Amino acid sequence: MSLEITFLGTGSAFPSPERGAPALVLRREGQCWLFDCGEGTQTQLMRSHLRAARITKIFITHLHGDHFFGLPGLLCTLSLQSSPDASKAPVDIYGPLGLRSFLWRSLELSHSQLLFPYTVHELVPTRDQCPAEEFKDFSGWDGGEALPQAPPGRVLHLDPGEDSYLLLEDEQLVVRAFRLFHRVPSFGFVLEEKPRPGKLNVQKLKDLG
């Protein structure tokens, strides 16, 4: 399996002319997976050899602005570069609880209509992931209000046995999230390649003695 990592931004708190806010792209078999999306990420993508249209999955580590304020703008730019296609697979977005509401409201308030589907898979944090006084429970963020056009997606809870969140799995790898301690609930992501048994030519070994 071929993997290539490109750092689009390694700064924090605010972008600078020389260094973008946090963003990293992992390229895997023609697809691009984006990890964090600070301000200016789409500009950094334009300066790179990567094609934004190949982004199929986005992972947000935590809800500090320098890690995800670039996301609504990036989605809108991707939409401008797209054509309506009902059969197109959705862009999967993974991140902490509250991300779905943020995205829906940002796009709704800005009258932005995306030409492609997207899903938001939210990770439910535990209270020990940040100082007690900083923890905010976003499970009732909308107060029971229905979001009529909110994106679909799953709400993922911690698997106590694995001490992680299973995000996705295919024939080649498993992707999990694990808890990090920060000022707000944060998550790291692990891509684990599955074992690939080799092929043994028994007859050739016999012929070689």
Side-chain angles (χ1 to χ4, degrees):
M1 181 172 59
S2 174
L3 297 175
E4 176 186 289
I5 293 177
T6 302
F7 292 92
L8 297 175
T10 58
S12 62
F14 57 88
S16 74
E18 292 80 25
R19 191 166 66 166
L24 177 154
V25 170
L26 183 145
R27 189 164 63 170
R28 175 196 175 215
E29 299 182 346
Q31 297 184 23
C32 289
W33 293 4
L34 176 65
F35 292 81
D36 280 338
C37 188
E39 291 179 70
T41 293
Q42 56 180 314
T43 304
Q44 294 294 87
L45 275 166
M46 294 173 189
R47 292 173 176 168
S48 75
H49 64 285
L50 303 168
R51 291 180 55 193
R54 292 191 180 274
I55 293 175
T56 58
K57 299 187 188 306
I58 299 172
F59 302 83
I60 302 298
T61 58
H62 63 291
L63 299 184
H64 271 155
D66 56 333
H67 288 258
F68 79 116
F69 277 169
L71 187 51
L74 174 65
L75 294 177
C76 289
T77 296
L78 291 177
S79 181
L80 290 173
Q81 298 173 350
S82 304
S83 56
D85 183 0
S87 64
K88 185 176 181 180
V91 174
D92 286 304
I93 303 173
Y94 300 85
L97 195 66
L99 185 58
R100 176 183 289 109
S101 180
F102 167 81
L103 278 177
W104 180 79
R105 293 187 183 281
S106 297
L107 297 173
E108 185 75 6
L109 287 169
S110 60
H111 295 258
S112 303
Q113 295 182 341
L114 302 184
L115 297 180
F116 59 87
Y118 72 103
T119 58
V120 180
H121 309 287
E122 295 182 299
L123 309 177
V124 179
T126 59
R127 290 182 176 271
D128 56 352
Q129 285 183 248
C130 68
E133 65 274 13
E134 295 283 356
F135 186 87
K136 294 183 180 180
D137 183 1
F138 292 124
S139 58
W141 180 251
D142 297 298
E145 172 191 356
L147 303 182
Q149 297 175 343
R154 297 171 293 157
V155 175
L156 304 171
H157 294 268
L158 179 72
D159 179 346
E162 296 288 342
D163 197 26
S164 63
Y165 303 73
L166 177 61
L167 305 188
L168 61 100
E169 182 174 5
D170 62 23
E171 295 179 352
Q172 292 185 318
L173 57 75
V174 178
V175 181
R176 295 183 182 273
F178 61 94
R179 296 172 297 165
L180 297 173
F181 186 87
H182 190 35
R183 196 161 58 83
V184 299
S186 303
F187 298 91
F189 302 100
V190 173
L191 284 72
E192 182 179 356
E193 188 174 4
K194 291 183 176 180
R196 291 183 293 172
K199 295 181 179 179
L200 191 65
N201 189 330
V202 178
Q203 186 57 49
K204 190 174 183 76
L205 288 176
K206 289 181 178 179
D207 293 343
L208 293 172

